[in-house]
Protein backbone atom coordinates (compact mmCIF):
# COMPACT_ATOMS: atom_id res chain seq x y z
CA UNK A 1 0.00 0.00 0.00
CA UNK A 2 1.37 3.37 -1.02
CA UNK A 3 2.23 6.36 1.15
CA UNK A 4 -0.72 8.27 -0.37
CA UNK A 5 -2.91 6.68 2.30
CA UNK A 6 -1.03 8.48 5.06
CA UNK A 7 -2.39 11.86 4.05
CA UNK A 8 -6.07 10.91 4.38
CA UNK A 9 -7.04 12.51 7.69
CA UNK A 10 -10.73 11.51 7.55
CA UNK A 11 -10.48 7.88 6.40
CA UNK A 12 -12.58 5.77 8.75
CA UNK A 13 -12.66 2.32 7.10
CA UNK A 14 -9.92 0.55 5.13
CA UNK A 15 -10.67 -2.80 3.48
CA UNK A 16 -7.65 -4.52 1.92
CA UNK A 17 -8.63 -8.17 2.25
CA UNK A 18 -7.80 -11.03 -0.14
CA UNK A 19 -4.61 -9.53 -1.56
CA UNK A 20 -0.95 -10.49 -1.33
CA UNK A 21 0.07 -8.20 1.48
CA UNK A 22 2.48 -9.53 4.06
CA UNK A 23 5.98 -9.05 2.75
CA UNK A 24 8.42 -6.21 3.51
CA UNK A 25 6.94 -2.84 2.69
CA UNK A 26 3.33 -4.06 2.62
CA UNK A 27 2.32 -1.21 4.90
CA UNK A 28 3.50 2.36 4.30
CA UNK A 29 6.29 3.57 6.55
CA UNK A 30 5.34 6.10 9.18
CA UNK A 31 1.80 4.79 9.50
CA UNK A 32 1.75 5.17 13.27
CA UNK A 33 2.56 8.93 13.08
CA UNK A 34 0.33 9.76 10.11
CA UNK A 35 -3.12 11.44 10.32
CA UNK A 36 -4.57 8.13 9.14
CA UNK A 37 -3.52 6.52 12.42
CA UNK A 38 -5.81 8.90 14.32
CA UNK A 39 -8.84 8.60 12.05
CA UNK A 40 -8.90 4.89 11.20
CA UNK A 41 -11.56 2.89 13.04
CA UNK A 42 -12.04 -0.27 10.89
CA UNK A 43 -9.15 -2.18 9.28
CA UNK A 44 -9.64 -5.46 7.39
CA UNK A 45 -6.49 -7.26 6.23
CA UNK A 46 -7.97 -10.77 6.11
CA UNK A 47 -6.94 -13.19 3.37
CA UNK A 48 -3.41 -11.89 2.98
CA UNK A 49 0.03 -13.29 3.80
CA UNK A 50 1.01 -11.76 7.12
CA UNK A 51 3.06 -14.13 9.28
CA UNK A 52 2.89 -11.75 12.25
CA UNK A 53 0.79 -8.82 13.31
CA UNK A 54 2.61 -5.74 11.92
CA UNK A 55 3.91 -3.65 14.84
CA UNK A 56 2.60 -0.49 13.18
CA UNK A 57 -0.97 -1.74 13.58
CA UNK A 58 -0.53 -1.90 17.33
CA UNK A 59 -0.08 1.88 17.35
CA UNK A 60 -3.51 2.57 15.84
CA UNK A 61 -5.01 3.47 19.20
CA UNK A 62 -8.39 4.56 17.79
CA UNK A 63 -8.98 1.24 16.00
CA UNK A 64 -12.29 -0.41 16.90
CA UNK A 65 -12.31 -3.33 14.46
CA UNK A 66 -9.29 -5.34 13.31
CA UNK A 67 -9.53 -8.35 10.99
CA UNK A 68 -6.50 -10.49 10.22
CA UNK A 69 -8.25 -13.77 9.47
CA UNK A 70 -6.93 -16.19 6.88
CA UNK A 71 -3.32 -15.08 7.12
CA UNK A 72 -0.27 -16.99 8.35
CA UNK A 73 -0.11 -15.77 11.93
CA UNK A 74 1.51 -18.08 14.46
CA UNK A 75 0.91 -15.94 17.51
CA UNK A 76 -0.69 -12.87 19.03
CA UNK A 77 1.76 -10.21 20.24
CA UNK A 78 1.40 -9.14 23.89
CA UNK A 79 1.33 -5.52 22.71
CA UNK A 80 -2.18 -6.17 21.43
CA UNK A 81 -3.18 -4.73 24.81
CA UNK A 82 -2.34 -1.25 23.50
CA UNK A 83 -5.48 -1.21 21.31
CA UNK A 84 -7.72 0.00 24.13
CA UNK A 85 -10.59 1.01 21.84
CA UNK A 86 -10.80 -2.35 20.06
CA UNK A 87 -14.30 -3.85 20.05
CA UNK A 88 -13.98 -6.50 17.33
CA UNK A 89 -10.95 -8.75 16.78
CA UNK A 90 -10.97 -11.41 14.05
CA UNK A 91 -7.98 -13.76 13.95
CA UNK A 92 -9.65 -16.91 12.62
CA UNK A 93 -8.05 -19.18 10.04
CA UNK A 94 -4.43 -18.80 11.12
CA UNK A 95 -1.88 -21.01 12.89
CA UNK A 96 -2.12 -19.48 16.35
CA UNK A 97 -1.19 -21.93 19.12
CA UNK A 98 -1.56 -19.81 22.26
CA UNK A 99 -3.47 -16.79 23.55
CA UNK A 100 -1.40 -14.26 25.51
CA UNK A 101 -2.87 -13.16 28.86
CA UNK A 102 -2.40 -9.55 27.70
CA UNK A 103 -5.38 -10.01 25.40
CA UNK A 104 -7.54 -9.74 28.51
CA UNK A 105 -6.51 -6.09 28.87
CA UNK A 106 -8.81 -4.89 26.10
CA UNK A 107 -11.62 -3.30 28.11
CA UNK A 108 -13.92 -2.59 25.15
CA UNK A 109 -13.62 -5.94 23.34
CA UNK A 110 -17.07 -7.34 22.54
CA UNK A 111 -16.42 -9.87 19.75
CA UNK A 112 -13.39 -12.17 19.71
CA UNK A 113 -12.98 -14.66 16.84
CA UNK A 114 -10.17 -17.22 17.21
CA UNK A 115 -11.71 -20.11 15.28
CA UNK A 116 -9.80 -22.42 12.91
CA UNK A 117 -6.45 -22.16 14.66
CA UNK A 118 -4.35 -24.56 16.74
CA UNK A 119 -5.10 -23.20 20.20
CA UNK A 120 -4.75 -25.79 22.97
CA UNK A 121 -5.79 -23.83 26.05
CA UNK A 122 -7.54 -20.66 27.16
CA UNK A 123 -5.78 -18.47 29.75
CA UNK A 124 -7.99 -17.85 32.80
CA UNK A 125 -7.23 -14.14 32.48
CA UNK A 126 -9.69 -14.03 29.60
CA UNK A 127 -12.40 -13.86 32.26
CA UNK A 128 -11.40 -10.20 32.69
CA UNK A 129 -13.00 -9.33 29.34
CA UNK A 130 -16.15 -8.08 31.02
CA UNK A 131 -17.52 -6.50 27.83
CA UNK A 132 -17.22 -9.70 25.78
CA UNK A 133 -20.47 -10.77 24.07
CA UNK A 134 -19.27 -13.41 21.59
CA UNK A 135 -16.33 -15.82 21.73
CA UNK A 136 -15.64 -18.08 18.73
CA UNK A 137 -13.24 -20.93 19.46
CA UNK A 138 -14.49 -23.64 17.11
CA UNK A 139 -12.08 -25.89 15.21
CA UNK A 140 -9.13 -25.64 17.59
CA UNK A 141 -7.37 -28.18 19.84
CA UNK A 142 -9.07 -27.37 23.15
CA UNK A 143 -9.45 -30.23 25.61
CA UNK A 144 -10.80 -28.15 28.50
CA UNK A 145 -12.00 -24.68 29.44
CA UNK A 146 -10.91 -22.75 32.53
CA UNK A 147 -13.52 -22.52 35.24
CA UNK A 148 -13.06 -18.74 35.20
CA UNK A 149 -14.98 -18.55 31.93
CA UNK A 150 -18.15 -18.54 34.05
CA UNK A 151 -17.19 -15.00 35.06
CA UNK A 152 -17.92 -13.71 31.56
CA UNK A 153 -21.29 -12.48 32.72
CA UNK A 154 -22.26 -10.76 29.47
CA UNK A 155 -21.28 -13.57 27.11
CA UNK A 156 -24.18 -14.45 24.82
CA UNK A 157 -22.48 -16.74 22.33
CA UNK A 158 -19.76 -19.35 22.74
CA UNK A 159 -18.72 -21.52 19.80
CA UNK A 160 -16.79 -24.70 20.65
CA UNK A 161 -17.59 -27.21 17.92
CA UNK A 162 -14.72 -29.09 16.33
CA UNK A 163 -12.59 -29.23 19.50
CA UNK A 164 -11.49 -32.43 21.28
CA UNK A 165 -13.40 -31.13 24.29
CA UNK A 166 -16.68 -31.20 22.37
CA UNK A 167 -15.95 -34.46 20.58
CA UNK A 168 -15.40 -36.14 23.95
CA UNK A 169 -18.45 -34.41 25.39
CA UNK A 170 -20.72 -35.61 22.59
CA UNK A 171 -19.28 -39.13 22.75
CA UNK A 172 -19.83 -39.29 26.48
CA UNK A 173 -23.46 -38.36 25.97
CA UNK A 174 -24.10 -41.56 24.03
CA UNK A 175 -26.16 -43.92 26.12
CA UNK A 176 -27.29 -47.43 25.29
CA UNK A 177 -30.78 -47.96 26.73
CA UNK A 178 -30.95 -50.71 29.37
CA UNK A 179 -32.26 -54.12 28.39
CA UNK A 180 -35.53 -55.50 29.74
CA UNK A 181 -33.49 -57.72 32.05
CA UNK A 182 -31.66 -54.71 33.45
CA UNK A 183 -34.87 -52.74 33.89
CA UNK A 184 -36.32 -55.65 35.84
CA UNK A 185 -33.16 -55.95 37.91
CA UNK A 186 -33.14 -52.23 38.68
CA UNK A 187 -36.74 -52.42 39.82
CA UNK A 188 -36.02 -55.34 42.13
CA UNK A 189 -33.04 -53.57 43.68
CA UNK A 190 -34.44 -50.06 44.03
CA UNK A 191 -37.79 -51.23 45.43
CA UNK A 192 -36.25 -53.89 47.64
CA UNK A 193 -38.40 -56.66 46.16
CA UNK A 194 -37.69 -59.76 48.30
CA UNK A 195 -36.42 -62.90 46.60
CA UNK A 196 -34.65 -66.10 47.58
CA UNK A 197 -32.15 -68.20 45.57
CA UNK A 198 -34.88 -70.80 45.17
CA UNK A 199 -37.15 -68.24 43.46
CA UNK A 200 -34.87 -67.49 40.48
CA UNK A 201 -32.42 -69.29 38.23
CA UNK A 202 -28.85 -69.21 39.47
CA UNK A 203 -27.78 -66.98 36.56
CA UNK A 204 -30.31 -64.29 37.55
CA UNK A 205 -29.33 -64.44 41.21
CA UNK A 206 -25.72 -63.93 40.17
CA UNK A 207 -26.78 -61.09 37.86
CA UNK A 208 -28.65 -59.28 40.65
CA UNK A 209 -25.56 -59.49 42.85
CA UNK A 210 -23.63 -57.43 40.30
CA UNK A 211 -25.71 -54.28 40.79
CA UNK A 212 -23.68 -51.07 41.25
CA UNK A 213 -25.00 -48.12 43.20
CA UNK A 214 -25.28 -44.84 41.32
CA UNK A 215 -22.81 -42.31 42.84
CA UNK A 216 -25.33 -39.50 42.56
CA UNK A 217 -26.45 -38.89 46.17
CA UNK A 218 -29.80 -37.57 44.95
CA UNK A 219 -30.58 -40.66 42.90
CA UNK A 220 -30.37 -43.86 44.93
CA UNK A 221 -30.61 -45.97 41.79
CA UNK A 222 -28.51 -48.87 40.56
CA UNK A 223 -27.14 -50.04 37.22
CA UNK A 224 -25.78 -53.25 35.73
CA UNK A 225 -24.44 -53.05 32.19
CA UNK A 226 -26.01 -49.82 30.95
CA UNK A 227 -24.52 -46.66 32.40
CA UNK A 228 -23.40 -43.15 31.49
CA UNK A 229 -19.74 -42.21 31.77
CA UNK A 230 -18.99 -38.71 33.00
CA UNK A 231 -15.70 -36.98 33.78
CA UNK A 232 -15.76 -34.73 36.84
CA UNK A 233 -12.87 -32.46 37.79
CA UNK A 234 -12.41 -32.09 41.54
CA UNK A 235 -9.91 -30.21 43.69
CA UNK A 236 -7.25 -32.33 45.34
CA UNK A 237 -5.15 -30.99 48.23
CA UNK A 238 -6.00 -27.46 47.14
CA UNK A 239 -3.48 -27.62 44.30
CA UNK A 240 -4.65 -29.84 41.48
CA UNK A 241 -7.78 -30.42 39.44
CA UNK A 242 -8.08 -34.16 38.93
CA UNK A 243 -10.32 -35.71 36.26
CA UNK A 244 -12.31 -38.53 37.86
CA UNK A 245 -14.53 -40.92 35.93
CA UNK A 246 -18.06 -41.47 37.24
CA UNK A 247 -20.55 -44.09 36.10
CA UNK A 248 -24.14 -42.92 36.39
CA UNK A 249 -27.29 -44.97 36.05
CA UNK A 250 -28.93 -42.64 33.49
CA UNK A 251 -28.41 -39.34 31.65
CA UNK A 252 -30.70 -37.64 34.16
CA UNK A 253 -28.08 -38.07 36.87
CA UNK A 254 -25.84 -35.03 36.49
CA UNK A 255 -24.53 -34.27 39.97
CA UNK A 256 -22.12 -37.04 40.94
CA UNK A 257 -19.48 -36.53 43.59
CA UNK A 258 -16.18 -38.15 44.38
CA UNK A 259 -15.70 -40.23 47.51
CA UNK A 260 -11.91 -40.25 47.17
CA UNK A 261 -11.56 -38.02 50.20
CA UNK A 262 -13.80 -35.91 52.40
CA UNK A 263 -12.21 -32.67 51.23
CA UNK A 264 -12.55 -33.47 47.55
CA UNK A 265 -16.14 -34.62 48.13
CA UNK A 266 -17.23 -31.37 49.72
CA UNK A 267 -15.43 -29.35 47.08
CA UNK A 268 -16.99 -31.34 44.27
CA UNK A 269 -20.46 -30.87 45.72
CA UNK A 270 -19.94 -27.13 45.93
CA UNK A 271 -18.62 -27.18 42.35
CA UNK A 272 -21.85 -28.82 41.18
CA UNK A 273 -23.93 -26.27 43.03
CA UNK A 274 -21.92 -23.39 41.55
CA UNK A 275 -22.29 -24.74 38.04
CA UNK A 276 -26.00 -25.30 38.50
CA UNK A 277 -26.46 -21.76 39.79
CA UNK A 278 -25.34 -20.19 36.53
CA UNK A 279 -28.50 -18.62 35.14
CA UNK A 280 -29.65 -19.64 31.69
CA UNK A 281 -29.56 -16.06 30.41
CA UNK A 282 -25.84 -15.92 31.13
CA UNK A 283 -25.19 -18.14 28.11
CA UNK A 284 -27.96 -17.82 25.56
CA UNK A 285 -26.26 -19.73 22.76
CA UNK A 286 -23.55 -22.39 23.01
CA UNK A 287 -22.63 -23.89 19.65
CA UNK A 288 -21.25 -27.38 20.19
CA UNK A 289 -21.80 -29.13 16.90
Amino acid sequence: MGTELLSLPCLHTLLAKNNRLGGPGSLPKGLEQAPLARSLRVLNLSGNRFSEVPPALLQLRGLRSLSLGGNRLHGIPPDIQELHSLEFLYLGGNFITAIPPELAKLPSLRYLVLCDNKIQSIPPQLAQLHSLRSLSLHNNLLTYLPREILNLVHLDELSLRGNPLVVRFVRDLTYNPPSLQELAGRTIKTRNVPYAPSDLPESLVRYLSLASNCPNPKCGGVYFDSCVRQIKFVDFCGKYRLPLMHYLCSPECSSPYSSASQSSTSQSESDSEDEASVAAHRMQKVLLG
Side-chain angles (χ1 to χ4, degrees):
M1 293 192 290
T3 57
E4 297 84 358
L5 287 171
L6 302 180
S7 59
L8 300 176
C10 300
L11 188 64
H12 181 279
T13 300
L14 176 57
L15 306 180
K17 59 182 180 179
N18 300 328
N19 286 288
R20 298 183 179 181
L21 301 174
S26 292
L27 300 180
K29 292 183 179 181
L31 175 62
E32 56 271 24
Q33 286 87 28
L36 177 63
R38 295 186 292 271
S39 65
L40 201 58
R41 296 293 180 266
V42 178
L43 178 59
N44 191 329
L45 295 173
S46 293
N48 282 286
R49 300 179 178 181
F50 290 101
S51 59
E52 62 179 15
V53 178
L57 299 187
L58 303 177
Q59 303 299 320
L60 305 179
R61 305 298 171 82
L63 209 59
R64 295 178 183 173
S65 175
L66 175 60
S67 298
L68 280 164
N71 278 275
R72 302 173 181 177
L73 304 179
H74 285 79
I76 305 173
D79 287 344
I80 194 76
Q81 63 181 316
E82 301 299 329
L83 302 179
H84 297 296
S85 300
L86 204 61
E87 299 178 4
F88 178 90
L89 179 59
Y90 189 102
L91 298 175
N94 284 285
F95 303 95
I96 298 170
T97 58
I99 302 174
E102 289 80 4
L103 189 63
K105 297 182 180 181
L106 298 176
S108 303
L109 195 62
R110 295 166 59 89
Y111 301 93
L112 177 58
V113 181
L114 296 169
C115 61
D116 298 292
N117 279 286
K118 299 182 181 298
I119 299 170
Q120 300 183 30
S121 63
I122 304 298
Q125 290 86 349
L126 232 59
Q128 301 171 17
L129 293 173
H130 300 301
S131 299
L132 201 63
R133 298 293 190 275
S134 177
L135 177 58
S136 296
L137 294 167
H138 53 272
N139 298 332
N140 276 284
L141 301 176
L142 297 173
T143 57
Y144 71 95
L145 292 178
R147 182 177 178 80
E148 288 80 3
I149 200 170
L150 294 176
N151 295 329
L152 294 174
V153 296
H154 298 297
L155 196 65
D156 292 329
E157 183 176 82
L158 174 62
S159 180
L160 293 172
R161 66 182 184 273
N163 282 281
L165 164 70
V166 176
V167 173
R168 186 186 67 187
F169 172 77
V170 173
R171 185 181 67 242
D172 289 347
L173 281 182
T174 59
Y175 174 63
N176 294 323
S179 64
L180 292 177
Q181 176 176 287
E182 176 153 349
L183 289 175
R186 290 187 181 195
T187 301
I188 291 174
K189 285 294 186 179
T190 55
R191 299 190 178 184
N192 296 318
V193 177
Y195 66 92
S198 58
D199 297 331
L200 299 171
E202 181 180 353
S203 60
L204 291 182
V205 173
R206 184 169 58 253
Y207 178 80
L208 290 172
S209 67
L210 298 177
S212 299
N213 294 321
C214 183
N216 184 353
K218 300 178 181 179
C219 174
V222 300
Y223 64 88
F224 293 88
D225 302 313
S226 179
C227 61
V228 176
R229 294 184 302 169
Q230 184 183 75
I231 295 177
K232 178 70 177 180
F233 285 83
V234 299
D235 283 344
F236 180 70
C237 296
K239 295 182 179 180
Y240 308 104
R241 296 285 287 175
L242 300 181
L244 301 180
M245 180 69 78
H246 297 266
Y247 298 90
L248 309 177
C249 67
S250 71
E252 286 73 23
C253 291
S254 59
S255 301
Y257 69 95
S258 170
S259 57
S261 67
Q262 184 63 35
S263 60
S264 65
T265 297
S266 59
Q267 179 65 43
S268 180
E269 287 177 339
S270 63
D271 286 350
S272 299
E273 293 173 359
D274 292 343
E275 292 164 1
S277 66
V278 179
H281 69 271
R282 289 271 298 276
M283 194 73 68
Q284 295 178 5
K285 183 189 294 185
V286 179
L287 303 178
L288 296 177

